[in-house]
Amino acid sequence: MKKLICLVLLLGGQAGAGYIPDMPYFHQYSNRLNPSGSCQNTCIAIVLKYYGADDITPDKISAKWGTYIAQTTGGLEKIFNAEAALRGLPVRDLAANAGTLRELHGLLDAGRPVIVHGGFSEVGHLMVLVGYDERYYYAMDPASKWTERVNGGFTNRDDPQIGRYTRYRREAVEAAIISSANRNQIRMHQIYFEHGALAARWEGALVDSVALGESVAIAGGVRLDSGRVAGVRVVADLRELGGPGELELSESDPGFYPLVRSLQAGGASGRRTVSFRISRDGREMVLRRSVVILPRQSQVVFAGDYGAGWQLGFNANAEVAVAAEGLEVRASGFTLEFLPREPVDLSGYRALRFAFRRGEAVGGSRPAFSVQINEDIRKVEPLVGGFFPGVDLARDDWQTVEVPLWAFAPLEEPLHSIRLFGNLRGTFYLDGIELVSARFPPPHIRADWHSALPDSLVAGAELVLREEIRVASTEPAGPAPEVVADLSALGGPRAQVLPPVEPGVYRLETAMHADIGNGRKQLRISVRQAAAAGPLETVVSRDIVVLPRGDQIVFDEGYGDNWQRGFVANADLDDAAGAQVYAGSLAQELAAAAFTIEYKPRQAVDPVGYRALRLAIHPGDADGGARPAFNIMVNGDTPSLVQLIGGDIAGLGLDLDRGEWQVVEIPLALFYRLDGPIESLRLFGNLRGTFYIDDVRLVAAQTRSQPTAVLERRKEGVPELFTLAQNYPNPFNSSTVIRYDLAVDGEIELSVFNLLGQLVVRLAEGSRRAGHYTANWDGRDASGRMLTSGLYVYRLQTPQGVQTRKFIVLR
């Protein structure tokens, strides 16, 4: 049976590490056909098998296609899409030669594996990235463990699992995949679902974790992305939670199959899966949700004595004895191992915790103390000078060390070993060693922002802030938290204390003029509370886009205040007056023999808040021969090049046969990947003769052109749930449809954002009655520009909460 397996999983106890679980793996050195040169086909097989191609192997791909074609991004895309279509899978690959880190992270955040090309070896290599956190990327590396110390070194080729769920330092991976020669571009593959695919998602409530013995409440349903489809069958499998294995769901609203049930979380702790099989005409999709059953108690490894099911394992350079103070260790450099008699499923545990007292032990000038799980060299955390607070060898008293288990991610295997090792010499003590159940969260403090903070304002305008911060702490009996606002990015004070106005509520009330430059600015609120185990701290922030007061002149009556002449080649550049002036009394005259002219800002220009580059051009007597060229490029970045003659952008161009001034306005979005400051504007081409340029400026965003077109319709009826559907089609080119349901009346806002978090357009806002809504959108932003290709987010904010979805634009 043809099938698509779509995994939607919630991981309990792993909030600090994000990666796609349950990925299949092929080791390229197990391939029979060209093992050393088949990493590309191995990556294709890994991703296709994840999405349901059960019969796929790297050797099948190599036998059919060879190993040369997929070495290019376009060739890999061709093979991937052909093999997916052959198996009836709706998943597709969109190759990118100029991807960005934001796009890469956006795909991983959406739970989609990404094949990347990079300098992982002297001849290049491909691997499948499946997640990331602040320290690591998680990868399916088909060539085994990548040795980061020596670029291009691969080890343990005979271990068929060594590259499965391996992790590499972020800086090392980014150095390998980002091409500095091409302005930080990444060669990668973006996974999406073809138009009209059988696709669905879970909507509603299904808890991601409960304590053992408690009830798992399910109240929601399966929503088909395409709405009502004839002949669809939806079957739920609840066996892992003690429910039925073949529960057929009936359609209520069009395309919605509800499930409301309560099940008892019995048996043992660990991860359980609820699956929904959606089938039609021989095609099948399996939607999975995970529930982590938390152990009701932490698991004791040693507390006065060894815990039930635990024993001392490998021991080197240490004498170990159970003493009144705990576990007494006389060390001379040491390795100390604790073994469970049965492997431990770490799902539902959040940390490894133990108490340590230094006694008379010393570590010399470079002390070392580390913890390792499963004897895996990739799962070692230093406890002296490491990432997490560890042991302090300057203290003589007992101290508690807690290492979150996500530090050892990926955690795909059960725990079968805990090792402590280091260079301490002398006697030290351990006690209270335990795996901490996620049922007992660590002490923390949380802050939520309740405000009407504007998304944007004009530079120099008055900003009135009346914000409320609601603070919740796990230490309610402790001292009152300190809440401080940093308004320096907006021209205000760096540390403004917020007074409490009621228990748990703090207010920021001030007014100031935003006498600052344009750009994205961040308002930060820091919350700190003293606690016995150390201070509890958190930070909440909001971004405000500061718009420029007006256009920025590059050249008009001479160069603008921030602009100067840059590189000029094959052109004599003079001032012109009289009839050859577009506006004012001065223009630029270029006597060209093929030409390059550059405008350089004295200070780099943040493009945020500007919508276009506009200039006036008079062709004079210039001629470009049979194939004339006139191009504009930003920052010397070739992908940003815009052609004014012979380009493929409708309504944008220069006609050399028109002997008059012509105004050209180029939306900044057309300068591909302009996500940093403007450091150069370069005009170049093959014109020969004299032509003129005038009124060159960056146009402020307040000047709006053709507005976006949104047609919104409401259908009567009150839905049970507040939902935001996936847009259809997705990806789209010219227009798309967004459906949403409102269960109650109230104020709503439906908006689109780019991956920088910048507002692109508001599609709907204001008061709405409960009902079923459909918004038809033409894909234009607030200034009327068509969105460029890429990944975007749309968000619906209602009185019942906020939901977001992602979509892809293909041009």
Side-chain angles (χ1 to χ4, degrees), residues 587-614:
Q588 286 186 309
E589 179 184 88
L590 281 84
F595 70 97
T596 298
I597 173 175
E598 183 181 47
Y599 301 102
K600 294 281 289 184
R602 300 178 191 277
Q603 292 186 343
V605 179
D606 192 326
V608 172
Y610 293 103
R611 65 174 177 82
L613 170 66
R614 188 168 69 202

PDB file of all heavy atoms in Angstrom, residues 587-614:
ATOM      1  N   ALA A 587      21.650  66.732 -12.004  1.00  0.00           N
ATOM      2  CA  ALA A 587      21.574  65.297 -12.215  1.00  0.00           C
ATOM      3  C   ALA A 587      22.988  64.779 -12.438  1.00  0.00           C
ATOM      4  O   ALA A 587      23.959  65.553 -12.402  1.00  0.00           O
ATOM      5  CB  ALA A 587      20.667  64.974 -13.398  1.00  0.00           C
ATOM      6  N   GLN A 588      23.131  63.465 -12.650  1.00  0.00           N
ATOM      7  CA  GLN A 588      24.432  62.875 -12.959  1.00  0.00           C
ATOM      8  C   GLN A 588      24.487  62.509 -14.429  1.00  0.00           C
ATOM      9  O   GLN A 588      23.579  61.849 -14.949  1.00  0.00           O
ATOM     10  CB  GLN A 588      24.689  61.631 -12.100  1.00  0.00           C
ATOM     11  CG  GLN A 588      25.019  61.938 -10.661  1.00  0.00           C
ATOM     12  CD  GLN A 588      25.407  60.682  -9.884  1.00  0.00           C
ATOM     13  OE1 GLN A 588      24.705  59.696  -9.907  1.00  0.00           O
ATOM     14  NE2 GLN A 588      26.535  60.738  -9.197  1.00  0.00           N
ATOM     15  N   GLU A 589      25.547  62.919 -15.087  1.00  0.00           N
ATOM     16  CA  GLU A 589      25.766  62.594 -16.493  1.00  0.00           C
ATOM     17  C   GLU A 589      26.869  61.538 -16.583  1.00  0.00           C
ATOM     18  O   GLU A 589      27.963  61.728 -16.045  1.00  0.00           O
ATOM     19  CB  GLU A 589      26.167  63.843 -17.263  1.00  0.00           C
ATOM     20  CG  GLU A 589      26.440  63.600 -18.737  1.00  0.00           C
ATOM     21  CD  GLU A 589      26.922  64.860 -19.434  1.00  0.00           C
ATOM     22  OE1 GLU A 589      28.153  65.101 -19.435  1.00  0.00           O
ATOM     23  OE2 GLU A 589      26.068  65.610 -19.939  1.00  0.00           O
ATOM     24  N   LEU A 590      26.581  60.421 -17.281  1.00  0.00           N
ATOM     25  CA  LEU A 590      27.565  59.360 -17.424  1.00  0.00           C
ATOM     26  C   LEU A 590      27.915  59.197 -18.895  1.00  0.00           C
ATOM     27  O   LEU A 590      27.041  58.897 -19.721  1.00  0.00           O
ATOM     28  CB  LEU A 590      27.025  58.027 -16.900  1.00  0.00           C
ATOM     29  CG  LEU A 590      27.027  57.820 -15.382  1.00  0.00           C
ATOM     30  CD1 LEU A 590      25.800  58.443 -14.767  1.00  0.00           C
ATOM     31  CD2 LEU A 590      27.084  56.341 -15.046  1.00  0.00           C
ATOM     32  N   ALA A 591      29.160  59.419 -19.231  1.00  0.00           N
ATOM     33  CA  ALA A 591      29.690  59.099 -20.551  1.00  0.00           C
ATOM     34  C   ALA A 591      30.330  57.726 -20.437  1.00  0.00           C
ATOM     35  O   ALA A 591      31.430  57.580 -19.883  1.00  0.00           O
ATOM     36  CB  ALA A 591      30.692  60.164 -20.992  1.00  0.00           C
ATOM     37  N   ALA A 592      29.629  56.713 -20.938  1.00  0.00           N
ATOM     38  CA  ALA A 592      29.971  55.334 -20.623  1.00  0.00           C
ATOM     39  C   ALA A 592      30.541  54.588 -21.819  1.00  0.00           C
ATOM     40  O   ALA A 592      30.186  54.847 -22.970  1.00  0.00           O
ATOM     41  CB  ALA A 592      28.731  54.598 -20.115  1.00  0.00           C
ATOM     42  N   ALA A 593      31.418  53.660 -21.527  1.00  0.00           N
ATOM     43  CA  ALA A 593      31.915  52.691 -22.502  1.00  0.00           C
ATOM     44  C   ALA A 593      31.850  51.326 -21.831  1.00  0.00           C
ATOM     45  O   ALA A 593      32.864  50.706 -21.533  1.00  0.00           O
ATOM     46  CB  ALA A 593      33.335  53.029 -22.915  1.00  0.00           C
ATOM     47  N   ALA A 594      30.556  50.861 -21.615  1.00  0.00           N
ATOM     48  CA  ALA A 594      30.280  49.858 -20.597  1.00  0.00           C
ATOM     49  C   ALA A 594      30.626  50.530 -19.282  1.00  0.00           C
ATOM     50  O   ALA A 594      31.551  51.336 -19.223  1.00  0.00           O
ATOM     51  CB  ALA A 594      31.044  48.564 -20.785  1.00  0.00           C
ATOM     52  N   PHE A 595      29.919  50.263 -18.216  1.00  0.00           N
ATOM     53  CA  PHE A 595      30.055  51.126 -17.049  1.00  0.00           C
ATOM     54  C   PHE A 595      29.807  50.387 -15.752  1.00  0.00           C
ATOM     55  O   PHE A 595      29.099  49.370 -15.715  1.00  0.00           O
ATOM     56  CB  PHE A 595      29.062  52.292 -17.130  1.00  0.00           C
ATOM     57  CG  PHE A 595      27.629  51.865 -16.955  1.00  0.00           C
ATOM     58  CD1 PHE A 595      26.998  51.965 -15.713  1.00  0.00           C
ATOM     59  CD2 PHE A 595      26.896  51.338 -18.013  1.00  0.00           C
ATOM     60  CE1 PHE A 595      25.685  51.560 -15.548  1.00  0.00           C
ATOM     61  CE2 PHE A 595      25.582  50.933 -17.852  1.00  0.00           C
ATOM     62  CZ  PHE A 595      24.979  51.044 -16.619  1.00  0.00           C
ATOM     63  N   THR A 596      30.384  50.886 -14.684  1.00  0.00           N
ATOM     64  CA  THR A 596      30.044  50.523 -13.308  1.00  0.00           C
ATOM     65  C   THR A 596      30.076  51.806 -12.495  1.00  0.00           C
ATOM     66  O   THR A 596      31.056  52.559 -12.548  1.00  0.00           O
ATOM     67  CB  THR A 596      31.037  49.519 -12.707  1.00  0.00           C
ATOM     68  OG1 THR A 596      31.015  48.318 -13.459  1.00  0.00           O
ATOM     69  CG2 THR A 596      30.680  49.206 -11.262  1.00  0.00           C
ATOM     70  N   ILE A 597      29.006  52.059 -11.754  1.00  0.00           N
ATOM     71  CA  ILE A 597      28.957  53.202 -10.851  1.00  0.00           C
ATOM     72  C   ILE A 597      28.392  52.717  -9.521  1.00  0.00           C
ATOM     73  O   ILE A 597      27.407  51.966  -9.496  1.00  0.00           O
ATOM     74  CB  ILE A 597      28.120  54.366 -11.428  1.00  0.00           C
ATOM     75  CG1 ILE A 597      27.946  55.480 -10.374  1.00  0.00           C
ATOM     76  CG2 ILE A 597      26.767  53.884 -11.926  1.00  0.00           C
ATOM     77  CD1 ILE A 597      27.248  56.709 -10.895  1.00  0.00           C
ATOM     78  N   GLU A 598      29.024  53.134  -8.437  1.00  0.00           N
ATOM     79  CA  GLU A 598      28.630  52.659  -7.110  1.00  0.00           C
ATOM     80  C   GLU A 598      28.307  53.829  -6.198  1.00  0.00           C
ATOM     81  O   GLU A 598      28.996  54.856  -6.214  1.00  0.00           O
ATOM     82  CB  GLU A 598      29.759  51.824  -6.502  1.00  0.00           C
ATOM     83  CG  GLU A 598      29.413  51.209  -5.147  1.00  0.00           C
ATOM     84  CD  GLU A 598      30.563  50.413  -4.579  1.00  0.00           C
ATOM     85  OE1 GLU A 598      31.711  50.919  -4.596  1.00  0.00           O
ATOM     86  OE2 GLU A 598      30.326  49.280  -4.123  1.00  0.00           O
ATOM     87  N   TYR A 599      27.247  53.674  -5.416  1.00  0.00           N
ATOM     88  CA  TYR A 599      26.904  54.606  -4.349  1.00  0.00           C
ATOM     89  C   TYR A 599      27.224  53.915  -3.022  1.00  0.00           C
ATOM     90  O   TYR A 599      26.767  52.791  -2.777  1.00  0.00           O
ATOM     91  CB  TYR A 599      25.429  54.983  -4.393  1.00  0.00           C
ATOM     92  CG  TYR A 599      24.994  55.640  -5.695  1.00  0.00           C
ATOM     93  CD1 TYR A 599      24.301  54.910  -6.660  1.00  0.00           C
ATOM     94  CD2 TYR A 599      25.268  56.977  -5.948  1.00  0.00           C
ATOM     95  CE1 TYR A 599      23.892  55.496  -7.842  1.00  0.00           C
ATOM     96  CE2 TYR A 599      24.868  57.580  -7.130  1.00  0.00           C
ATOM     97  CZ  TYR A 599      24.183  56.828  -8.079  1.00  0.00           C
ATOM     98  OH  TYR A 599      23.782  57.417  -9.250  1.00  0.00           O
ATOM     99  N   LYS A 600      27.975  54.598  -2.158  1.00  0.00           N
ATOM    100  CA  LYS A 600      28.401  54.021  -0.870  1.00  0.00           C
ATOM    101  C   LYS A 600      27.844  54.856   0.280  1.00  0.00           C
ATOM    102  O   LYS A 600      28.035  56.070   0.315  1.00  0.00           O
ATOM    103  CB  LYS A 600      29.925  54.006  -0.764  1.00  0.00           C
ATOM    104  CG  LYS A 600      30.610  53.078  -1.745  1.00  0.00           C
ATOM    105  CD  LYS A 600      30.545  51.628  -1.290  1.00  0.00           C
ATOM    106  CE  LYS A 600      31.437  51.385  -0.087  1.00  0.00           C
ATOM    107  NZ  LYS A 600      31.449  49.942   0.282  1.00  0.00           N
ATOM    108  N   PRO A 601      27.148  54.215   1.241  1.00  0.00           N
ATOM    109  CA  PRO A 601      26.708  54.972   2.419  1.00  0.00           C
ATOM    110  C   PRO A 601      27.884  55.202   3.373  1.00  0.00           C
ATOM    111  O   PRO A 601      28.767  54.361   3.508  1.00  0.00           O
ATOM    112  CB  PRO A 601      25.656  54.050   3.044  1.00  0.00           C
ATOM    113  CG  PRO A 601      26.082  52.673   2.636  1.00  0.00           C
ATOM    114  CD  PRO A 601      26.717  52.811   1.289  1.00  0.00           C
ATOM    115  N   ARG A 602      27.887  56.347   4.014  1.00  0.00           N
ATOM    116  CA  ARG A 602      28.932  56.616   5.025  1.00  0.00           C
ATOM    117  C   ARG A 602      28.726  55.703   6.227  1.00  0.00           C
ATOM    118  O   ARG A 602      29.685  55.231   6.833  1.00  0.00           O
ATOM    119  CB  ARG A 602      28.891  58.089   5.439  1.00  0.00           C
ATOM    120  CG  ARG A 602      29.124  59.041   4.266  1.00  0.00           C
ATOM    121  CD  ARG A 602      29.038  60.495   4.703  1.00  0.00           C
ATOM    122  NE  ARG A 602      29.012  61.373   3.545  1.00  0.00           N
ATOM    123  CZ  ARG A 602      30.088  61.784   2.887  1.00  0.00           C
ATOM    124  NH1 ARG A 602      31.291  61.403   3.298  1.00  0.00           N
ATOM    125  NH2 ARG A 602      29.978  62.574   1.847  1.00  0.00           N
ATOM    126  N   GLN A 603      27.475  55.491   6.574  1.00  0.00           N
ATOM    127  CA  GLN A 603      27.119  54.493   7.588  1.00  0.00           C
ATOM    128  C   GLN A 603      26.129  53.526   6.950  1.00  0.00           C
ATOM    129  O   GLN A 603      25.193  53.944   6.265  1.00  0.00           O
ATOM    130  CB  GLN A 603      26.493  55.144   8.824  1.00  0.00           C
ATOM    131  CG  GLN A 603      27.460  56.004   9.629  1.00  0.00           C
ATOM    132  CD  GLN A 603      26.828  56.504  10.904  1.00  0.00           C
ATOM    133  OE1 GLN A 603      25.611  56.485  11.065  1.00  0.00           O
ATOM    134  NE2 GLN A 603      27.665  56.968  11.818  1.00  0.00           N
ATOM    135  N   ALA A 604      26.357  52.227   7.149  1.00  0.00           N
ATOM    136  CA  ALA A 604      25.486  51.220   6.543  1.00  0.00           C
ATOM    137  C   ALA A 604      24.025  51.499   6.893  1.00  0.00           C
ATOM    138  O   ALA A 604      23.702  51.942   7.999  1.00  0.00           O
ATOM    139  CB  ALA A 604      25.892  49.827   7.015  1.00  0.00           C
ATOM    140  N   VAL A 605      23.135  51.227   5.958  1.00  0.00           N
ATOM    141  CA  VAL A 605      21.717  51.558   6.098  1.00  0.00           C
ATOM    142  C   VAL A 605      20.934  50.302   6.443  1.00  0.00           C
ATOM    143  O   VAL A 605      20.982  49.306   5.709  1.00  0.00           O
ATOM    144  CB  VAL A 605      21.164  52.182   4.798  1.00  0.00           C
ATOM    145  CG1 VAL A 605      19.675  52.490   4.945  1.00  0.00           C
ATOM    146  CG2 VAL A 605      21.943  53.442   4.443  1.00  0.00           C
ATOM    147  N   ASP A 606      20.215  50.345   7.545  1.00  0.00           N
ATOM    148  CA  ASP A 606      19.309  49.252   7.887  1.00  0.00           C
ATOM    149  C   ASP A 606      18.110  49.332   6.944  1.00  0.00           C
ATOM    150  O   ASP A 606      17.425  50.356   6.897  1.00  0.00           O
ATOM    151  CB  ASP A 606      18.855  49.394   9.341  1.00  0.00           C
ATOM    152  CG  ASP A 606      18.139  48.149   9.855  1.00  0.00           C
ATOM    153  OD1 ASP A 606      17.449  47.495   9.054  1.00  0.00           O
ATOM    154  OD2 ASP A 606      18.266  47.847  11.058  1.00  0.00           O
ATOM    155  N   PRO A 607      17.831  48.267   6.161  1.00  0.00           N
ATOM    156  CA  PRO A 607      16.724  48.354   5.198  1.00  0.00           C
ATOM    157  C   PRO A 607      15.338  48.290   5.821  1.00  0.00           C
ATOM    158  O   PRO A 607      14.343  48.547   5.126  1.00  0.00           O
ATOM    159  CB  PRO A 607      16.964  47.135   4.292  1.00  0.00           C
ATOM    160  CG  PRO A 607      17.679  46.154   5.164  1.00  0.00           C
ATOM    161  CD  PRO A 607      18.534  46.974   6.085  1.00  0.00           C
ATOM    162  N   VAL A 608      15.264  47.956   7.111  1.00  0.00           N
ATOM    163  CA  VAL A 608      13.953  47.849   7.758  1.00  0.00           C
ATOM    164  C   VAL A 608      13.248  49.201   7.694  1.00  0.00           C
ATOM    165  O   VAL A 608      13.799  50.228   8.093  1.00  0.00           O
ATOM    166  CB  VAL A 608      14.105  47.380   9.212  1.00  0.00           C
ATOM    167  CG1 VAL A 608      12.767  47.454   9.937  1.00  0.00           C
ATOM    168  CG2 VAL A 608      14.648  45.968   9.259  1.00  0.00           C
ATOM    169  N   GLY A 609      12.039  49.196   7.196  1.00  0.00           N
ATOM    170  CA  GLY A 609      11.258  50.428   7.105  1.00  0.00           C
ATOM    171  C   GLY A 609      11.324  51.098   5.753  1.00  0.00           C
ATOM    172  O   GLY A 609      10.586  52.054   5.504  1.00  0.00           O
ATOM    173  N   TYR A 610      12.194  50.620   4.861  1.00  0.00           N
ATOM    174  CA  TYR A 610      12.211  51.104   3.486  1.00  0.00           C
ATOM    175  C   TYR A 610      11.596  50.030   2.596  1.00  0.00           C
ATOM    176  O   TYR A 610      11.834  48.833   2.787  1.00  0.00           O
ATOM    177  CB  TYR A 610      13.636  51.400   3.020  1.00  0.00           C
ATOM    178  CG  TYR A 610      14.282  52.558   3.748  1.00  0.00           C
ATOM    179  CD1 TYR A 610      15.216  52.340   4.753  1.00  0.00           C
ATOM    180  CD2 TYR A 610      13.932  53.869   3.433  1.00  0.00           C
ATOM    181  CE1 TYR A 610      15.799  53.401   5.433  1.00  0.00           C
ATOM    182  CE2 TYR A 610      14.512  54.938   4.106  1.00  0.00           C
ATOM    183  CZ  TYR A 610      15.446  54.695   5.105  1.00  0.00           C
ATOM    184  OH  TYR A 610      16.007  55.752   5.777  1.00  0.00           O
ATOM    185  N   ARG A 611      10.821  50.454   1.618  1.00  0.00           N
ATOM    186  CA  ARG A 611      10.144  49.464   0.789  1.00  0.00           C
ATOM    187  C   ARG A 611      10.723  49.336  -0.607  1.00  0.00           C
ATOM    188  O   ARG A 611      10.492  48.339  -1.288  1.00  0.00           O
ATOM    189  CB  ARG A 611       8.659  49.772   0.678  1.00  0.00           C
ATOM    190  CG  ARG A 611       8.314  51.057  -0.037  1.00  0.00           C
ATOM    191  CD  ARG A 611       6.786  51.177  -0.221  1.00  0.00           C
ATOM    192  NE  ARG A 611       6.426  52.433  -0.844  1.00  0.00           N
ATOM    193  CZ  ARG A 611       6.472  52.653  -2.157  1.00  0.00           C
ATOM    194  NH1 ARG A 611       6.882  51.710  -2.968  1.00  0.00           N
ATOM    195  NH2 ARG A 611       6.103  53.814  -2.645  1.00  0.00           N
ATOM    196  N   ALA A 612      11.486  50.347  -1.098  1.00  0.00           N
ATOM    197  CA  ALA A 612      11.933  50.287  -2.485  1.00  0.00           C
ATOM    198  C   ALA A 612      13.144  51.179  -2.688  1.00  0.00           C
ATOM    199  O   ALA A 612      13.432  52.099  -1.909  1.00  0.00           O
ATOM    200  CB  ALA A 612      10.802  50.720  -3.427  1.00  0.00           C
ATOM    201  N   LEU A 613      13.862  50.896  -3.785  1.00  0.00           N
ATOM    202  CA  LEU A 613      14.895  51.785  -4.320  1.00  0.00           C
ATOM    203  C   LEU A 613      14.308  52.417  -5.575  1.00  0.00           C
ATOM    204  O   LEU A 613      13.855  51.700  -6.477  1.00  0.00           O
ATOM    205  CB  LEU A 613      16.157  50.997  -4.674  1.00  0.00           C
ATOM    206  CG  LEU A 613      17.227  51.769  -5.456  1.00  0.00           C
ATOM    207  CD1 LEU A 613      17.823  52.894  -4.615  1.00  0.00           C
ATOM    208  CD2 LEU A 613      18.320  50.826  -5.939  1.00  0.00           C
ATOM    209  N   ARG A 614      14.310  53.747  -5.619  1.00  0.00           N
ATOM    210  CA  ARG A 614      13.731  54.442  -6.769  1.00  0.00           C
ATOM    211  C   ARG A 614      14.768  55.360  -7.381  1.00  0.00           C
ATOM    212  O   ARG A 614      15.549  56.013  -6.672  1.00  0.00           O
ATOM    213  CB  ARG A 614      12.506  55.245  -6.349  1.00  0.00           C
ATOM    214  CG  ARG A 614      11.723  55.848  -7.530  1.00  0.00           C
ATOM    215  CD  ARG A 614      10.382  56.382  -7.081  1.00  0.00           C
ATOM    216  NE  ARG A 614      10.521  57.550  -6.238  1.00  0.00           N
ATOM    217  CZ  ARG A 614       9.580  57.968  -5.383  1.00  0.00           C
ATOM    218  NH1 ARG A 614       8.471  57.252  -5.247  1.00  0.00           N
ATOM    219  NH2 ARG A 614       9.765  59.037  -4.659  1.00  0.00           N
TER     220      ARG A 614
END
